[in-house]
Amino acid sequence: MTIQDEIQILKKEKDAVILAHYYVRPEVQKIADYIGDSFYLSKIAEKLPNRTIVFCGVSFMGESGKLLSPDKLILMPEPEADCPMAHMVAKDEVDRARKTYDNLAVVCYINSTAEIKSWSDVCVTSANAVKIVKNLPNKNILFIPDKNLGRHVAEQVPEKNVVLVKGFCPVHEHISAEEIASLRKAHPAAEVLAHPECGKEVLKLSDYIGSTSGIISRASESSKTEFIIATETGVLYELQKKNPGKHFYFPKTKPVCMDMKKITLEKVLHVLQTEKNKAQVFGELAESSKKPLKRMLELAQ
Ligand code: 13P
Ligand code: SF4
């Protein structure tokens, strides 16, 4: 019996469903019941009837799933798979902004710990950040922790005063504008599709800026056949699945999230067998960090 067969049998026995982010290994995406970006995964986790969810992603994703579905058993194949950006803001930065600005909303990228969410008024993902910030009644916005997504939102919503902090995704921040420019030279007919976690210079060179699912939809809908992709390489699996005749080029220095890659088929099987590595958020923190997530789901509708 293959490891994939063993996973399927245990899934049925335990009424489990497997969710995977586009950045995990292709073989893990292949056995997933649902694959998506952070927004899709947080919505679907809440709606699924299953008792158990195996969340193939980094810890803030499982944590968010648990906050929105406290009665479900959420299993994390690799509890050490963590997003470094999810920790990149300190409480005193939020306290200082709350003292400095009237009419302030603290807007928190979902790539953050439950504690950071609990300091915030509303969460966003890269798929809905512009829409949500635009529709908030507040003039002043403290955007945490991602300075790159925050700057992109500020450019799209110039009527707001968006205050940034210093957090960033190391994978997207290191995508080099020079490497994107040289790919453009080599493939002049290609469209450049970038994730908003990239730095300013890369976004300037892009034809389209969007979340991972936005990038995948754009490549499918576009009449072009060549694309330069400025995000983590895991999206290639879905890009190729949906667009068999099209060509995708990544920068020479491959953008790879080592935390997402920690999730393997063996670890998925292990959590199904043992029910170890549960996502958990307790007590008062669960209550206060759930509120901004719920508000995101309302405002994103
Ligand atoms: P999206 O899933 O919103 O595209 O974000 C990418 C990401 O970095 C998730 O960790
Ligand atoms: Fe975090 Fe970046 Fe990895 Fe996404 S790609 S999980 S933002 S480190």
Side-chain angles (χ1 to χ4, degrees), residues 21 23 37-38 60-61 109 111 126 195 197 211-212 260:
H21 191 271
Y23 293 164
D37 69 0
S38 308
F60 77 81
M61 296 181 168
Y109 192 21
N111 297 35
S126 61
H195 196 281
E197 289 174 12
S211 73
T212 45
M260 289 283 191

Side-chain angles (χ1 to χ4, degrees), residues 42-93:
S42 64
K43 278 190 304 184
I44 195 96
E46 200 189 18
K47 291 203 180 106
L48 288 168
N50 310 71
R51 182 187 86 93
T52 305
I53 292 179
V54 179
F55 218 124
C56 301
V58 288
S59 47
F60 77 81
M61 296 181 168
E63 219 171 60
S64 300
K66 185 67 184 173
L67 290 170
L68 292 168
S69 314
D71 298 332
K72 285 183 186 143
L73 175 64
I74 310 244
L75 300 173
M76 303 304 289
E78 173 50 75
E80 299 287 308
D82 193 13
C83 169
M85 178 166 63
H87 305 268
M88 288 189 191
V89 62
K91 177 76 161 53
D92 64 319
E93 295 177 87

